[in-house]
């Protein structure tokens, strides 16, 4: 059985402050602390190697029970993190306050418990923490009953019950929005856009749901933010970027006007700025798209945005999506500079990122290198995608990676490989049930070009292919390929002899 590296990843995720706190809090305890030795040695490794751990501690008694020692250390680190971050998040504060109320109640200190209850309810209302409010109201009913037994009838229990009913309604309302969000997010995460009529019907169904289309259906600020977020995702998935901008801008406005909720929904805020950037990009407003990237960068280190999870997400936007933005502008040299400056520095973070973020980076790196004629290195990144067995996530990237793979082998004159690779790509596209035709047309024509003997013979095929592509691109749904690979400029470069990079740039700025 392969040794678990979960402890290694946890230790490597700790900040200097978290490590220092762990050492200080653990040093208070008496007795031998083998876990300190284990912690320091694992922390010194760049890649986890359990064999080296066993070799290093072979004279120590605890190494005979390494799995239990690792488990013990893992739990101690989590305990330390709970203490370190105990007063940093709203949920942590409310959990502590509820525990304080319980302890004071058990000690029959009811008056003191009411003080904590009042303070906790204020926090919960300000942050719209409805789950915690339900528990706090339950405690309020208990303490009210105690007051009645003491002859204190100042509090009306009916008001508490009415408040509880209102909170439950808000909680149900928010839960209903989360269900709708999960549905549209599944479409977006699987393909990035609606790839066929079935998915378009799903998006329309969500967009026309009474909670999404109706007026004043959101019963809280949290619900309103997710309602507009869902509307924005529906529009983006349907490639209506003007509407997408409007809806995501409403999300941003709600969160900016409610800073306490904004901190609790920090990830939603980052993704909202990301989608605004996407809207600007697709409207060719590249100046504002770059401005959104700078605004996302400005969130790093701010309250609510300090977690490793959000740091990974922000860094991926600053690296991958900035490369993508430069690529769309035809500024491949700037994209290459972002890649070269950021890849080695963020390599460990990329490896620890989600699969979606990894493949997005690999694709944009490959496309940048392809544009700069570094075909062999580009192929290495494309192979990282093609050799993956993922079946559900971002089929758009997996599909267009196969197109880019064909272009790379074509440029490397690996014509013998193209036949096999083309057939494989066609089988994949058929399996993914995409109703876009442009990829299949392009693949068939590439196969035809690869079989021709001379450059003179290929020019008519390039022109024929470009004509077919231009006809298909009149359909907005077919134009999605240009967001990933500018096949049109590539064909034109083969016909005219101009550089691919120059043609892409000229379409954005005809003066260049």
């Amino acid at each position: 059985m392969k040794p678990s590296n979960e402890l290694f990843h946890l230790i490597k995720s700790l900040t200097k402050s978290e490590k220092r706190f762990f050492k200080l809090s653990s040093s208070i305890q008496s007795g031998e602390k083998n876990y300190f030795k284990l912690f320091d040695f694992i922390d010194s490794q760049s890649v986890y190697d359990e064999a080296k751990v066993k070799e290093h501690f072979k004279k120590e008694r605890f190494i005979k029970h390494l799995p239990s020692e690792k488990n013990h250390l893992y739990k101690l680190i989590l305990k330390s993190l709970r203490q370190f971050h105990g007063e940093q998040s709203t949920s942590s504060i409310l959990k502590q306050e509820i525990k304080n109320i319980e302890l004071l109640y058990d000690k029959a200190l009811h008056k003191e418990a009411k003080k904590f209850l009042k303070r906790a309810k204020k926090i919960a209302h300000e942050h719209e923490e409805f789950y915690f409010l339900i528990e706090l109201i339950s405690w309020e009913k208990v303490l009210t009953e105690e007051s009645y037994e003491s002859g204190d009838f100042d509090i009306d229990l009916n008001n508490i019950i009415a408040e509880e009913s209102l909170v439950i309604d808000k909680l149900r309302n928010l839960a209903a929005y989360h269900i709708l969000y999960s549905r549209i997010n599944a479409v977006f995460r699987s393909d990035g856009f609606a790839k066929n009529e079935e998915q378009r019907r799903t998006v329309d169904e969500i967009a026309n749901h009474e909670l999404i289309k109706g007026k004043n259906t959101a019963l809280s600020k949290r619900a309103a933010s997710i309602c507009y977020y869902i509307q924005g995702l529906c529009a983006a998935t349907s490639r209506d970027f003007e509407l997408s901008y409007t809806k995501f801008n409403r999300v941003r406005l709600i969160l900016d006007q409610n800073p306490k909720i904004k901190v609790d929904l920090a990830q939603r805020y980052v993704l909202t700025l990301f989608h605004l950037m996407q809207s600007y990009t697709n409207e060719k407003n590249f100046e504002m798209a770059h401005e959104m990237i700078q605004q996302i960068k400005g969130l790093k280190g701010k309250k609510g945005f300090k977690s490793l999870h959000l740091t990974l997400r922000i860094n991926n936007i600053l690296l991958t999506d900035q490369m993508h933005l430069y690529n769309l502008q035809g500024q491949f040299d700037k994209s290459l500079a972002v890649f070269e400056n950021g890849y080695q520095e963020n390599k460990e973070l990329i490896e620890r990122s989600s699969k979606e973020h990894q493949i997005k980076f690999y694709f944009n790196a490959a496309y940048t290198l392809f544009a700069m004629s570094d075909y062999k290195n580009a192929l290495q990144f494309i192979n990282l995608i093609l050799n993956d067995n993922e079946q559900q996530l971002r089929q758009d990237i997996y599909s267009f990676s196969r197109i880019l793979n064909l272009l790379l082998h074509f440029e490397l004159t690996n014509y013998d490989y193209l036949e096999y690779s083309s057939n494989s790509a066609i089988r994949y596209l058929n399996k993914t049930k995409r109703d876009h035709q442009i990829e299949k047309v392009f693949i068939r024509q590439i196969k035809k070009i690869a079989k021709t003997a001379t450059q003179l013979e290929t020019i008519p095929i390039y022109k024929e292919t470009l004509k077919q592509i231009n006809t298909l691109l009149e359909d907005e749904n077919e134009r999605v390929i240009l967001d990933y690979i500018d096949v049109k400029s590539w064909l034109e470069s083969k016909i005219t002899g101009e550089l691919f990079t120059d043609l892409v740039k000229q379409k954005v700025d005809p003066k260049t």
Side-chain angles (χ1 to χ4, degrees):
M1 183 181 294
K2 186 178 180 180
S4 170
N5 57 6
E6 293 175 357
L7 176 61
F8 171 79
H9 288 315
L10 178 60
I11 291 174
K12 287 298 184 180
S13 73
L14 301 177
T15 64
K16 290 181 179 179
S17 297
E18 289 168 341
K19 290 177 183 178
R20 189 183 308 113
F21 184 82
F22 170 70
K23 293 289 186 71
L24 288 172
S25 60
S26 299
S27 63
I28 299 173
Q29 303 173 16
S30 59
E32 190 176 5
K33 300 179 181 63
N34 293 319
Y35 55 82
F36 271 167
K37 303 175 187 176
L38 187 58
F39 179 97
D40 287 335
F41 188 77
I42 291 177
D43 190 31
S44 70
Q45 292 187 315
S46 56
V47 178
Y48 183 62
D49 189 333
E50 190 152 304
K52 289 184 179 179
V53 174
K54 291 179 178 179
E55 175 63 24
H56 184 78
F57 293 110
K58 62 183 178 182
K59 295 181 180 179
E60 302 279 356
R61 292 177 60 185
F62 76 85
I63 201 64
K64 296 179 181 179
H65 313 287
L66 182 58
S68 62
E69 290 289 340
K70 287 169 61 180
N71 187 50
H72 178 58
L73 176 54
Y74 194 94
K75 290 179 178 178
L76 285 175
I77 294 172
L78 287 179
K79 181 180 179 181
S80 172
L81 287 172
R82 287 196 298 271
Q83 294 172 337
F84 183 77
H85 295 282
E87 296 184 1
Q88 294 190 22
S89 70
T90 306
S91 60
S92 296
I93 293 170
L94 290 172
K95 286 174 185 176
Q96 288 186 18
E97 294 290 60
I98 289 171
K99 187 62 179 178
N100 289 335
I101 294 167
E102 181 183 355
L103 290 170
L104 291 168
Y105 176 79
D106 288 343
K107 297 292 183 182
L109 299 172
H110 302 150
K111 185 177 180 180
E112 290 82 353
K114 287 181 182 179
K115 291 180 181 179
F116 278 86
L117 176 68
K118 184 179 180 180
R119 182 171 62 193
K121 278 190 69 179
K122 183 176 184 295
I123 295 171
H125 274 296
E126 289 174 343
H127 291 261
E128 294 190 339
E129 292 283 3
F130 302 125
Y131 285 104
F132 288 107
L133 271 171
I134 294 296
E135 189 169 357
L136 288 166
I137 290 172
S138 295
W139 272 110
E140 188 172 17
K141 288 191 287 186
V142 170
L143 291 169
T144 300
E145 291 290 348
E146 292 292 340
S147 297
Y148 287 173
E149 290 184 11
S150 301
D152 182 1
F153 297 97
D154 290 341
I155 300 175
D156 188 344
L157 189 59
N158 290 326
N159 291 336
I160 299 174
I161 293 172
E163 181 186 10
E164 183 179 46
S165 178
L166 180 60
V167 171
I168 290 172
D169 287 343
K170 289 182 177 180
L171 187 56
R172 286 174 175 164
N173 179 253
L174 184 59
Y177 278 111
H178 277 292
I179 291 171
L180 291 170
Y181 169 73
S182 296
R183 291 182 63 196
I184 186 61
N185 194 47
V187 175
F188 189 79
R189 292 291 168 227
S190 64
D191 288 283
F193 56 90
K195 67 181 181 182
N196 54 40
E197 190 57 38
E198 181 183 350
Q199 285 191 342
R200 283 189 278 276
R201 282 197 300 270
T202 299
V203 174
D204 287 341
E205 180 186 337
I206 296 169
N208 289 294
H209 191 281
E210 59 180 354
L211 285 177
I212 302 301
K213 199 171 183 179
K215 293 184 178 180
N216 302 318
T217 53
L219 301 182
S220 62
K221 298 298 182 184
R222 283 180 182 262
S225 74
I226 197 171
C227 177
Y228 285 117
Y229 193 94
I230 292 168
Q231 291 176 353
L233 269 186
C234 287
T237 306
S238 301
R239 299 182 61 75
D240 185 345
F241 297 108
E242 184 176 349
L243 180 61
S244 175
Y245 169 80
T246 301
K247 299 304 181 181
F248 281 117
N249 210 35
R250 289 294 299 270
V251 179
R252 179 181 187 175
L253 182 63
I254 290 170
L255 295 179
D256 281 341
Q257 290 176 342
N258 297 272
K260 292 181 179 179
I261 296 175
K262 172 182 171 178
V263 169
D264 293 338
L265 300 177
Q267 175 165 297
R268 185 174 301 166
Y269 191 77
V270 171
L271 291 176
T272 296
L273 297 188
F274 166 78
H275 285 296
L276 286 173
M277 179 201 71
Q278 293 282 74
S279 298
Y280 282 125
T281 300
N282 284 281
E283 293 299 321
K284 308 302 181 188
N285 189 343
F286 297 117
E287 183 179 350
M288 282 303 302
H290 283 292
E291 170 61 25
M292 296 311 302
I293 285 182
Q294 291 306 309
Q295 290 189 29
I296 292 171
K297 183 179 181 180
L299 295 173
K300 292 181 70 173
K302 290 189 175 180
K303 183 180 179 182
F305 299 89
K306 295 179 181 180
S307 70
L308 178 60
H309 173 72
L310 279 178
T311 298
L312 289 173
R313 188 173 290 278
I314 291 172
N315 279 0
N316 274 296
I317 292 172
L318 299 181
L319 179 59
T320 303
D321 293 292
Q322 191 167 203
M323 288 171 60
H324 177 62
L325 183 53
Y326 280 132
N327 287 343
L328 290 174
Q329 294 178 264
Q331 297 180 0
F332 294 102
D333 53 340
K334 292 184 178 180
S335 179
L336 183 64
V338 172
F339 167 75
E340 291 178 339
N341 294 332
Y343 180 43
Q344 290 302 324
E345 181 181 343
N346 293 282
K347 192 171 183 180
E348 183 180 344
L349 292 178
I350 293 168
E351 291 172 352
R352 295 182 60 185
S353 298
S354 67
K355 177 62 68 66
E356 179 181 8
H357 290 155
Q358 288 179 12
I359 62 174
K360 278 182 63 180
F361 169 74
Y362 296 152
F363 182 86
N364 281 283
Y367 187 51
T368 300
L369 294 168
F370 161 78
M372 301 303 289
S373 302
D374 189 353
Y375 304 126
K376 290 185 178 179
N377 282 321
L379 200 56
Q380 291 182 8
F381 283 102
I382 280 295
N383 285 335
L384 289 174
I385 302 175
L386 299 183
N387 293 335
D388 189 88
N389 293 320
E390 176 60 51
Q391 298 297 318
Q392 302 297 326
L393 181 70
R394 294 304 299 266
Q395 294 303 298
D396 53 332
I397 297 176
Y398 285 95
S399 296
F400 292 122
S401 292
R402 282 163 169 76
I403 303 296
L404 186 53
N405 181 54
L406 293 178
L407 291 179
L408 287 168
H409 283 289
F410 184 89
E411 297 290 2
L412 290 167
T413 66
N414 297 333
Y415 299 140
D416 291 339
Y417 179 79
L418 278 173
E419 179 73 23
Y420 163 79
S421 187
S422 298
N423 293 335
S424 175
I426 291 292
R427 286 195 300 271
Y428 178 84
L429 292 173
N430 288 335
K431 184 176 67 174
T432 56
K433 299 178 181 179
R434 299 161 64 86
D435 59 10
H436 303 116
Q437 297 302 310
I438 203 164
E439 297 103 307
K440 294 178 182 178
V441 168
F442 190 77
I443 292 169
R444 286 196 296 268
Q445 294 298 99
I446 286 291
K447 285 175 64 177
K448 187 185 295 185
I449 294 169
K451 291 178 180 179
T452 57
T454 67
Q455 175 69 14
L456 189 62
E457 292 175 313
T458 61
I459 295 297
I461 305 176
Y462 283 128
K463 290 182 177 179
E464 176 194 346
T465 307
L466 182 59
K467 182 179 179 181
Q468 293 182 42
I469 294 297
N470 281 332
T471 300
L472 289 169
L473 287 176
E474 293 175 6
D475 183 347
E476 176 62 30
N477 290 321
E478 295 285 0
R479 293 183 63 81
V480 69
I481 193 172
L482 300 180
D483 293 344
Y484 300 79
I485 308 170
D486 192 341
V487 292
K488 184 176 177 180
S489 292
W490 183 80
L491 288 167
E492 290 172 350
S493 73
K494 295 302 179 184
I495 295 169
T496 65
E498 296 181 69
L499 289 176
F500 169 73
T501 52
D502 289 344
L503 288 169
V504 176
K505 191 178 296 184
Q506 287 168 19
K507 288 179 181 176
V508 178
D509 185 2
K511 297 177 184 178
T512 58

